[in-house]
Amino acid sequence: MNPPRRGTPDFLLLFLAFVLVCFGLAMVFSASSMTSAYKWGDPWYFTKKQLIAVGIGTIGMLFCMNIHYTRLKKLIIPAFFLVVIALIFVVFTAKVKGASSWYLVGMFGIQPTEFAKLIVILYLASLISNKDEKFRDFKRGLLPALLVVGFVCFLIMLQPDLGSCMILLICAAIVITVGGSNLKHLFLLGTGFAAIGGMGVALYLLKGDATAKNYRVNRLTSFLDPFADNQDTGFQVVQSLYAFGHGGLSGAGFGQGIQKLHYLPEAHNDFIFAIIGEELGFIGSSLFILVFLLFIWRGILVAVRSPDMFGMLAGVGIMVMFAFQAFINIGGVTGTIPLTGVTLPFISSGGSSMMVCLISMGILLSISREQSPKGDVPSKKRPKST
């Protein structure tokens, strides 16, 4: 008997991802062209790197989109061990921007933490779906998941990378909650993740010499009043706020921003939302956020319509990763929360981030090809909380 024909990928989700990627490429060029021309003699330097990442990521997306997502389960364990090995050895690489987070290969930097977030989400989704009702048992269900998440977070904080650690903790907590952990276990989950988060912050603040420790403490607290130290720890946030102020309601116009002219560090990377605010104004920034929220909503809808638990948990975890990472990035750039140095998904310059975003999209699009048309609950039992 021939297997049932798979459906077509969700067009709206694919279209929104395409719009975000194209918009990101345009903003990377606008934000980096002057810096690229000055430093590398080529205004397209960072844009070319991003295009290569988009090309590789698109190949990964097409591969994942055209195989049944359940077949990825066989690759999760090998991928997990590769990521763990990469996280262990990356600590011994040269520091870049104060952290040992990258393997430098020619003109490219590979950041294993970006891949670790996706692999842990898929690992938890596979673990929970395989254990089914056994997951409600603490020793056989929740404890192994906590150990895995805690170990990976520990490796990430050795770099240190507080932002990625926070994102991974939130994603893991939501996947485990949606997966059906009971109320007592959820309390233990909250306590455990609070402890892991506390240890992560401690590692972040205490690693290095006294100067590095003081700088990290001041960097975490400078968002409360960035103008109090506007030439050091508050410099980036102050320059970012100047960008939003210059943009006003309608913006200075695409390519017409001035903060990217060596005033705002990392304008094409962590602070690209500030350039969006300056060049497209409040209106353009709001439209971007609305499109991103529509993208998140559509992705979650695809996830909850998955015909099985693995697809639902993987899809929810991926969309939470996108949403929370965007929240941390935009919150840091606007001075709402402390800066942690994470990228804006699909928009910021960063090859590893872009490749992971597109591969994640391929998994979601594969899930969308097996949809329950009327939004039925996955074939396994609904997750319970009591």
Side-chain angles (χ1 to χ4, degrees), residues 171-182:
C171 292
I174 291 179
V175 169
I176 290 171
T177 302
V178 175
S181 184
N182 62 38

Side-chain angles (χ1 to χ4, degrees), residues 53 102 109-112 114-115 350-357:
W102 289 267
I110 300 174
Q111 192 173 8
E114 294 292 337
F115 296 91
S352 298
S353 176
M354 178 60 76
M355 285 188 283
V356 169
C357 285

Side-chain angles (χ1 to χ4, degrees), residues 261-322:
L261 304 179
H262 309 293
Y263 293 104
L264 179 60
E266 305 298 328
H268 61 290
N269 198 335
D270 298 349
F271 282 84
I272 198 166
F273 185 71
I275 304 303
I276 294 174
E278 183 180 19
E279 298 190 350
L280 305 182
F282 176 79
I283 295 174
S285 301
S286 299
L287 286 175
F288 163 72
I289 291 175
L290 286 174
V291 171
F292 200 88
L293 288 174
L294 177 61
F295 168 75
I296 297 297
W297 166 81
R298 190 65 185 181
I300 291 176
L301 189 63
V302 165
V304 299
R305 287 180 174 176
S306 170
D308 58 58
M309 186 66 73
F310 173 70
M312 182 183 73
L313 295 177
V316 168
I318 287 170
M319 296 316 297
V320 169
M321 177 178 70
F322 289 152

Side-chain angles (χ1 to χ4, degrees), residues 53-358:
V54 168
I56 297 172
T58 300
I59 293 172
M61 182 184 74
L62 292 174
F63 172 78
C64 292
M65 184 177 71
N66 286 292
I67 65 170
H68 199 287
Y69 59 90
T70 55
R71 294 175 62 184
L72 294 173
K73 285 186 176 183
K74 298 178 181 178
L75 303 176
I76 292 174
I77 297 300
F80 178 80
F81 280 109
L82 286 175
V83 163
V84 167
I85 293 171
L87 288 174
I88 291 172
F89 286 101
V90 77
V91 179
F92 302 101
T93 61
K95 287 186 178 294
V96 179
K97 303 172 188 175
S100 301
S101 302
W102 289 267
Y103 289 104
L104 300 180
V105 182
M107 63 184 291
F108 299 98
I110 300 174
Q111 192 173 8
T113 302
E114 294 292 337
F115 296 91
K117 290 183 287 188
L118 175 60
I119 295 301
V120 170
I121 289 170
L122 295 178
Y123 176 83
L124 290 176
S126 177
L127 178 73
I128 295 170
S129 61
N130 288 340
K131 287 184 177 292
D132 199 12
E133 288 299 321
K134 292 179 182 179
F135 183 70
R136 297 175 59 77
D137 180 80
F138 179 74
K139 290 185 178 180
R140 293 184 296 174
L142 183 60
L143 184 58
L146 288 178
L147 291 175
V148 167
V149 174
F151 177 62
V152 174
C153 286
F154 171 75
L155 294 177
I156 291 174
M157 287 311 303
L158 289 178
Q159 302 174 16
D161 188 347
L162 181 60
S164 295
C165 183
M166 291 171 58
I167 293 167
L168 181 56
L169 283 175
I170 292 296
C171 292
I174 291 179
V175 169
I176 290 171
T177 302
V178 175
S181 184
N182 62 38
L183 290 178
K184 290 187 292 184
H185 293 174
L186 290 178
F187 175 76
L188 292 172
L189 172 69
T191 304
F193 279 179
I196 294 171
M199 288 187 292
V201 172
L203 278 172
Y204 177 76
L205 296 178
L206 298 177
K207 188 177 181 182
D209 55 24
T211 303
K213 295 173 187 175
N214 291 333
Y215 178 78
R216 291 186 187 121
V217 172
N218 293 334
R219 182 178 172 87
L220 280 178
T221 57
S222 65
F223 82 101
L224 297 172
D225 185 10
F227 290 91
D229 190 14
N230 60 8
Q231 293 301 312
D232 190 11
T233 56
F235 180 78
Q236 288 177 302
V237 175
V238 168
Q239 296 299 320
S240 177
L241 295 177
Y242 284 157
F244 288 112
H246 181 226
L249 183 65
S250 57
F254 180 76
Q256 302 302 309
I258 60 174
Q259 289 302 106
K260 63 191 179 185
L261 304 179
H262 309 293
Y263 293 104
L264 179 60
E266 305 298 328
H268 61 290
N269 198 335
D270 298 349
F271 282 84
I272 198 166
F273 185 71
I275 304 303
I276 294 174
E278 183 180 19
E279 298 190 350
L280 305 182
F282 176 79
I283 295 174
S285 301
S286 299
L287 286 175
F288 163 72
I289 291 175
L290 286 174
V291 171
F292 200 88
L293 288 174
L294 177 61
F295 168 75
I296 297 297
W297 166 81
R298 190 65 185 181
I300 291 176
L301 189 63
V302 165
V304 299
R305 287 180 174 176
S306 170
D308 58 58
M309 186 66 73
F310 173 70
M312 182 183 73
L313 295 177
V316 168
I318 287 170
M319 296 316 297
V320 169
M321 177 178 70
F322 289 152
F324 196 67
Q325 186 163 325
F327 169 77
I328 290 181
N329 177 274
I330 294 174
V333 169
T334 56
T336 309
I337 60 175
L339 282 173
T340 54
V342 300
T343 57
L344 185 57
F346 296 100
I347 308 299
S348 294
S349 173
S352 298
S353 176
M354 178 60 76
M355 285 188 283
V356 169
C357 285
L358 289 171

Side-chain angles (χ1 to χ4, degrees), residues 357-376:
C357 285
L358 289 171
I359 291 170
S360 301
M361 278 307 307
I363 296 171
L364 272 168
L365 292 169
S366 178
I367 294 170
S368 73
R369 298 184 67 179
E370 312 293 336
Q371 294 292 269
S372 304
K374 296 182 180 179
D376 298 333

